[in-house]
Amino acid sequence: MVRFVEVANKSQIPQNGAIGVEVEGKSLALVNLNGEIFALDDTCPHAAGPLSEGEIDGEEITCPWHHSRFDIRTGHVTMDPADEDVATYRVRLVGDAVEVEI
Ligand code: FES
């Protein structure tokens, strides 16, 4: 059943930065894009690099391993070598709590 699960506090996620969290067996990257929080799979589809450790440039995040890029809002891959998108998840804020739809 799909439901929202608390995964972090917004204050933990730096402005235009990301953190990695584990929730229910999934590794997620939480990104703070100009104050708006997004959640996407943390595991790069190319060779499993941690996207949450990548650089954010505009609305894209770059995998730290081989520099594939992904649209933070949609998960679409925008630069190879990855050739698959990453999943994204709905996010809601309850006060400072970041909840992700799992
Ligand atoms: S693991 Fe991400 S680009 Fe290779």
Side-chain angles (χ1 to χ4, degrees):
M1 195 177 80
V2 173
R3 67 195 197 287
F4 281 90
V5 177
E6 184 175 338
V7 292
N9 291 324
K10 184 179 178 186
S11 55
Q12 293 175 270
I13 313 169
Q15 179 88 348
N16 296 317
I19 63 170
V21 296
E22 299 285 328
V23 57
E24 306 206 355
K26 293 178 187 289
S27 298
L28 304 184
L30 303 178
V31 182
N32 180 341
L33 197 59
N34 299 314
E36 196 174 353
I37 307 300
F38 295 89
L40 53 161
D41 272 336
D42 198 15
T43 306
C44 179
H46 176 237
L51 296 185
S52 60
E53 296 177 21
E55 298 226 338
I56 292 166
D57 183 17
E59 296 197 345
E60 295 184 338
I61 193 163
T62 302
C63 178
W65 286 7
H66 314 104
H67 311 296
S68 291
R69 292 168 68 101
F70 300 88
D71 185 306
I72 292 163
R73 293 178 181 273
T74 65
H76 290 321
V77 62
T78 59
M79 183 149 62
D80 59 8
D83 59 3
E84 288 175 54
D85 301 338
V86 290
T88 57
Y89 300 85
R90 287 177 58 202
V91 172
R92 72 180 184 192
L93 291 175
V94 180
D96 189 49
V98 177
E99 296 186 350
V100 173
E101 188 178 54
I102 297 294

